[in-house]
Structures are given as structure tokens and as C-alpha cells.
Amino acid sequence: MSFSHVAIIGLGLLGGSIGLAVRAELPGTKTTGYDADPDVRARARERGLADTVLDDPAEAVRGADLVILCVPVGAMGEAARAIEPGLSADTVISDVGSSKRSITDALVAALPNHQIIPAHPVAGTENSGPDAGFATLFHQRWCIVTPPAGADAEKVASLVDFWESLGALVETMDAEHHDLVLAVTSHIPHLIAYTIVGTASDLEDVTRSEVIKYSAGGFRDFTRIAASDPTMWRDVFLNNKDAVLEMLDRFLTDLALMREAIRAGDGEMMHDTFSRTRAIRRSIVALGQDDPRPDFGRADHE
Amino acid sequence: MSFSHVAIIGLGLLGGSIGLAVRAELPGTKTTGYDADPDVRARARERGLADTVLDDPAEAVRGADLVILCVPVGAMGEAARAIEPGLSADTVISDVGSSKRSITDALVAALPNHQIIPAHPVAGTENSGPDAGFATLFHQRWCIVTPPAGADAEKVASLVDFWESLGALVETMDAEHHDLVLAVTSHIPHLIAYTIVGTASDLEDVTRSEVIKYSAGGFRDFTRIAASDPTMWRDVFLNNKDAVLEMLDRFLTDLALMREAIRAGDGEMMHDTFSRTRAIRRSIVALGQDDPRPDFGRADHE
């Protein structure tokens, strides 16, 4: 069974990319869309992010067999309540949020009689809004599906098929494990990046102009993810607190060891650590999860 | 006055790029090169990283009016002593190292009767060795020249001209300020990246395979600079200890505040911080210091 009508609620980077990807990869599938912001709806119509963009969330999901909520984690419950009047009994409700335990709870509470099958495509850029999406965002990226206990196996298989059709690789796991894995591969990196960019911006003995000029020494890499959507990321940290704090404390423990090695002049400890970390980058590149060219293939080397 | 013969000691990413850049941008200028590793010398001859690659460091600098030491920070003093027999009285000695106070001291101690004008091109990739260099590495990147008190103004101007000829933008400042600025724009970012990649590699409840698969959520960005040369970076932290510890402690203070905001559920503090950090990325892109395309222009979005 494949979905014939996909409704997309929230037409930013992720929602817009889903709409464009469905048009490119599943031409027989109908898409409808809605966004709470009228300016976003207008731009979504211009870019054709869905076949039809409606002004009412319940109307946007009417007749859909798959609804994907693409709103910030903290807005999931409210979005689910807003679409409820338009849902059919067998509509599958999914999402793209970055923390799965809290979203599953919010969606089950808002729509207790519907099939809730949360998912998280691990893909994105630092851009957000209706101009940010593109059809190939999910190519060769992993999408994690987290079916709650008792989820309809056939509907889960359909959702897996849907994401594979958009070019994604799909894995299923439970919500708790997802939240722990993503804390380390996504949430802590964003937290660290936001923090060091904040630290550098606020210095008095090094000017902002100097930070910008000499950013190619490594700092500029951190500014990319620190340019991500503030509301989305606030909600991630509010909703995946336990796993984030657990992973943050492990990082802080390791950073304290590194600080002590620098203080004590322990070159051997540093060299050992710095040598081990090369291997993981090679694996990431070998498995097609990053650009093999030096410096991510930045244009300034062309 | 421009240099007619440039000797490059150390033929890795930086030294090799200088050789290739001189050939591309200053065709009348002769280059000679040396590397302590015979395999690197052989590869450097194959790639033509210098007009002539010699097997003896003193022979490599004979007749040169500019010598650029492109070895790890901790090897600068030894490299300076090795070239001493081949130097002329008026040869300018420069380098490309990432910490300037310690290098200046080491070079002045090793060659007390020569013109020492240290420099640091803020440019590089995660690759190292004689295959890593390319002629355009310095285009639109800043090069910081740190002339010691009493440096010959005409020779400083010649070194500035030299770097501008290779496509760099040049700034001069004192070594101490350089070390503080680079601690925040380069050294701390590398330290954080090495540490978080190490933390993620050592987890037991999240597998290495999961870290690799879901790295596109942000983590993969950190693995690039954590793949940088271990010896080079060990030496940076051993030689810029005070500035690195000072900046690290400021980062740790800010990270503790962020940790507390997450623990307390303070969404407003997070949103404020995450909103402010966007501006600095816009400035970096506007000033030509990073690729304007989303995700650094990674190929997987093409």
C-alpha cells in the first residue's frame, strides 16, 4: 500500500523539501499543504511546495492518507489539534521532529484514536523558511522511524517505503534510543556551536571584526550550524533535556581531561586523542555521509 | 624589493601550497624545497612543489632571500638550526605556524643574527602531507604578519607583498595579540571538535555505526577539523597554552550557563542566544570568508 495523498503541515525547509521531493519522485501522489504564517503560504504557492496550499489546517489534511507535521517540536501538539477535524479514521500521522519521545507523547495525547508513526529524517541545512527547501534534501540521508508499541505494521512499512521513495535510507528504533543517538550526533554539536559562536561574539580583547576575518582557521565551520532556526533548536533542547544533559556531561568530562592535558603539557595524551578521531571521519566519508572533497568542497578552493 | 628565490622547509599542505602558488602567481621567482622525510621529498619532486627539492636543509636555503619554515610549531627551532649553515646574512626567515610568540622566541634563539619575520596564513584544509597542497589555498584568506620589535621595515613590506602576490589579504599585529585571536578563531574550535569526536567514538550506549550513520545531523561538521594533523595540533596546544586556557575557560563558563538554561527549561535564554549567533555567520559570508551556498556547498545537494 502506498500513500496517494500526502498533507504537509508546516512549509519550511523540511516541509517544503518533502513537497518538492514528492513531486520529483512520486509524480502520481497528490500533495496539500498548510502553514500558520500567511506569508509562508503565499511563498509556498509561488514555489509550488505542494499541489495545493490551503488556508485552513483541517481542510489541508482532508482526504489525506498521510499527514506529516513539519513544525517546531514545541508546536506539534497544537498542530495536531488543529488538523483533527479534517482527519479520516485511518489517516497516518507522522512528523519530522528532532526529539521523538516528547513528540510521540504529544501526538498520542492530541489524537488518541489515530495511527501515530513518528519519523525523523536526519537531513537539513542551516537555512529555514519556505525558500530553503529542495527536492534532493533526503538523498542518501538516513530517516529514523520510531513506531510506538502497537503501531500497524503495514502502515509502518508504507511510511518506510515513502521515505525510501524520496531517496532516504530508513532505520527503525524506539523513541528513547533515537533521542540518545541524536543527542550526540546532532543536539550537542548544535549546542556547542551556538555557545562558542556566542562566546566569540562577546569578547572584549578580540574584536568581532577579528573573529570574522580570521574565521577560516576553524571557527567558520561552527557558525554554519549556529545559523540554524532558533525556535526549532530551543524546542529541541526543551524537549530532549535528559539525553542532552547526559551527553553534555560526558563531553564536559572529556573536555576537562583535555584542559588538564594542556595545562600539564601532556603532548602524548593529546596526540593519542587527535590520532583516533581521524578514523571516524574516514568512515563517514566512506559511507557516503559527507563530501569527500577537502573542506567540504567549499567554492573558495576552485 | 621583491624576493627572487624562496626556500620552503617542510613540504606538506602549507609548504606545498606555497610552492605551487609561487609557480602560478610569481613565475619569475625561483623556489627550492626540503622536507625531513625522504618519501615526502620524492612525492614533492613528482608534484613539482618546488623547482628543486634538495636532500640537505642547508643546501635547500643556499642563495635564498626568503626562507619559509613550514614545519610543526614544535619543530621550528630544530629546523632553523638545520638551515643555518646555508643562510646569507640578509636572508629573511619567516614561517607559517599557528602560534606566534613561541615561534618567534624559538627562531630568534636559533638564528640571533638574522631577520626573523614570522607570519601565519589563516588557511588550510583537513588534509596534510605532500599531496594536500594546491595553488589557490591562500586566495582571499588572511595572512597575519607579526614583525618583532626592530624588524627591518622594508623587509616586512616585501613579505607583505609576497603574501599579497599569492592572493592573500595581509594584516600585521604583535605576536601576543595574534595568539589570543587565533585561540578563539582556530585553536578552541579544533580542541572542541577533537574532544566531541572522541566523546562520540567512545560511547557504549550509542554505537560507532550509529554515530557515523546519523552524523549529518551536525556531528559530521566537527569531524572535518578533527581529521587535521595530530602532530601540528599537539604542538599548537603545547605552545599557545595560556591563550588557549583563557579562551577555553570563557567557553566553559558560557556552556555552564547554557547547561543551566536547559536544566531549568529556560527557553527565552536559549532563543536569545540562538538568535544572536546568526548575525556573525552572515558577516563571515558577506566578507567572503565562507561559501555562501547552504551546507558549505556540499556535493550531496547537487
Side-chain angles (χ1 to χ4, degrees):
Chain A
M1 182 202 94
S2 64
F3 300 111
S4 61
H5 174 181
V6 179
I8 305 162
I9 304 301
L11 295 167
L13 169 64
L14 272 285
S17 294
I18 292 172
L20 295 170
V22 168
R23 177 163 305 148
E25 311 286 357
L26 295 167
T29 303
K30 176 180 174 181
T31 55
T32 47
Y34 170 78
D35 195 284
D37 181 338
D39 292 340
V40 172
R41 294 200 297 273
R43 185 66 188 127
R45 288 186 184 105
E46 288 168 5
R47 289 198 70 205
L49 300 183
D51 298 337
T52 315
V53 174
L54 294 105
D55 291 328
D56 178 276
E59 290 311 309
V61 302
R62 199 169 299 282
D65 42 13
L66 172 64
V67 176
I68 308 181
L69 300 169
C70 305
V71 300
V73 174
M76 289 285 176
E78 187 184 340
R81 286 187 292 275
I83 61 171
E84 201 277 335
L87 294 174
S88 309
D90 62 348
T91 310
V92 172
I93 314 297
S94 191
D95 76 301
V96 296
S98 299
S99 71
K100 301 289 29 149
R101 179 71 268 152
S102 69
I103 291 174
T104 306
D105 293 347
L107 296 183
V108 168
L111 301 170
N113 301 317
H114 286 83
Q115 276 289 324
I116 310 286
I117 312 177
H120 177 204
V122 185
T125 76
E126 66 274 28
N127 294 342
S128 47
D131 284 296
F134 51 95
T136 59
L137 178 64
F138 309 109
H139 282 190
Q140 284 294 110
R141 291 285 87 83
W142 288 86
C143 180
I144 302 173
V145 177
T146 59
D152 181 319
E154 197 185 325
K155 287 184 157 65
V156 171
S158 296
L159 187 65
V160 169
D161 281 352
F162 172 78
W163 278 106
E164 288 178 346
S165 298
L166 304 195
L169 306 159
V170 182
E171 189 73 76
T172 62
M173 64 179 71
D174 65 49
E176 284 71 20
H177 190 63
H178 167 279
D179 288 357
L180 199 62
V181 171
L182 270 288
V184 67
T185 65
S186 180
H187 307 172
I188 294 297
H190 277 77
L191 187 71
I192 292 170
Y194 277 124
T195 304
I196 184 66
V197 175
T199 303
S201 307
D202 291 344
L203 296 173
E204 289 181 355
D205 36 11
V206 176
T207 67
R208 212 177 155 81
S209 158
E210 288 174 322
V211 168
I212 291 164
K213 279 161 84 169
Y214 310 121
S215 62
F219 179 75
R220 63 176 179 163
D221 284 34
F222 292 66
T223 64
R224 188 188 75 78
I225 58 180
S228 301
D229 185 60
T231 302
M232 172 190 155
W233 282 97
R234 176 200 64 196
D235 285 3
V236 169
F237 295 116
L238 291 174
N239 285 280
N240 195 24
K241 182 192 292 194
D242 294 343
V244 165
L245 290 177
E246 181 179 337
M247 289 298 168
L248 178 56
D249 287 345
R250 295 195 202 185
F251 168 69
L252 285 169
T253 300
D254 289 344
L255 193 55
L257 291 172
M258 196 67 84
R259 186 187 187 288
E260 178 54 24
I262 294 172
R263 204 200 51 75
D266 184 352
E268 195 176 332
M269 181 279 197
M270 288 186 240
H271 196 275
D272 284 354
T273 304
F274 301 170
S275 301
R276 286 192 303 118
T277 50
R278 284 190 141 174
I280 206 156
R281 170 121 195 118
R282 280 196 293 267
S283 302
I284 287 170
V285 169
L287 289 172
Q289 293 304 303
D290 208 344
D291 196 311
R293 293 173 296 169
D295 221 358
F296 307 122
R298 278 176 165 115
D300 47 49
H301 295 318
E302 282 165 7
Chain B
M1 182 203 95
S2 62
F3 300 110
S4 61
H5 175 182
V6 179
I8 305 162
I9 305 300
L11 295 166
L13 169 64
L14 272 285
S17 294
I18 291 172
L20 295 170
V22 169
R23 177 161 307 146
E25 311 287 356
L26 294 168
T29 303
K30 175 181 174 180
T31 56
T32 48
Y34 170 78
D35 194 285
D37 181 339
D39 292 341
V40 172
R41 294 201 297 273
R43 185 66 188 125
R45 288 187 183 105
E46 289 169 6
R47 289 198 71 204
L49 300 183
D51 297 337
T52 314
V53 175
L54 294 108
D55 293 326
D56 178 275
E59 290 310 310
V61 302
R62 200 170 299 281
D65 43 12
L66 171 64
V67 176
I68 308 181
L69 299 169
C70 305
V71 300
V73 174
M76 290 285 176
E78 187 185 337
R81 286 186 292 276
I83 61 172
E84 200 277 334
L87 294 175
S88 309
D90 63 347
T91 310
V92 172
I93 314 295
S94 190
D95 76 301
V96 295
S98 299
S99 71
K100 302 288 28 146
R101 181 70 269 151
S102 68
I103 291 173
T104 306
D105 293 346
L107 296 183
V108 168
L111 301 170
N113 301 316
H114 286 84
Q115 275 290 323
I116 311 285
I117 311 176
H120 177 205
V122 185
T125 76
E126 66 275 28
N127 295 342
S128 47
D131 285 296
F134 50 96
T136 59
L137 179 63
F138 310 109
H139 283 190
Q140 285 295 110
R141 290 286 86 83
W142 287 86
C143 180
I144 302 173
V145 176
T146 59
D152 180 317
E154 196 185 325
K155 288 185 157 64
V156 172
S158 297
L159 188 65
V160 169
D161 281 352
F162 173 78
W163 278 106
E164 288 178 346
S165 298
L166 304 194
L169 307 158
V170 181
E171 188 72 76
T172 62
M173 63 179 74
D174 67 49
E176 285 70 20
H177 190 62
H178 167 279
D179 288 358
L180 198 63
V181 171
L182 270 289
V184 68
T185 65
S186 180
H187 307 169
I188 294 297
H190 277 76
L191 188 72
I192 292 170
Y194 276 125
T195 302
I196 184 66
V197 175
T199 303
S201 307
D202 290 344
L203 296 173
E204 290 181 355
D205 36 11
V206 175
T207 68
R208 212 176 155 82
S209 159
E210 288 174 323
V211 168
I212 291 163
K213 280 160 83 169
Y214 311 122
S215 61
F219 179 76
R220 63 177 178 163
D221 283 35
F222 291 64
T223 64
R224 188 187 76 76
I225 57 179
S228 301
D229 184 59
T231 302
M232 172 190 155
W233 282 97
R234 175 200 63 195
D235 284 2
V236 169
F237 295 116
L238 291 173
N239 284 282
N240 196 22
K241 183 192 293 195
D242 294 343
V244 165
L245 289 177
E246 181 179 337
M247 289 299 168
L248 178 56
D249 287 347
R250 295 196 202 182
F251 168 68
L252 285 169
T253 300
D254 289 344
L255 193 55
L257 291 172
M258 197 66 87
R259 188 187 184 288
E260 179 54 24
I262 294 173
R263 204 200 52 72
D266 184 351
E268 195 176 331
M269 181 279 198
M270 288 186 240
H271 196 275
D272 284 353
T273 304
F274 301 171
S275 302
R276 284 193 302 120
T277 50
R278 284 189 142 175
I280 207 158
R281 171 125 195 114
R282 279 196 294 267
S283 302
I284 287 171
V285 169
L287 288 172
Q289 293 304 303
D290 208 345
D291 196 311
R293 293 172 296 168
D295 221 359
F296 307 122
R298 278 175 166 118
D300 47 51
H301 296 317
E302 282 164 7

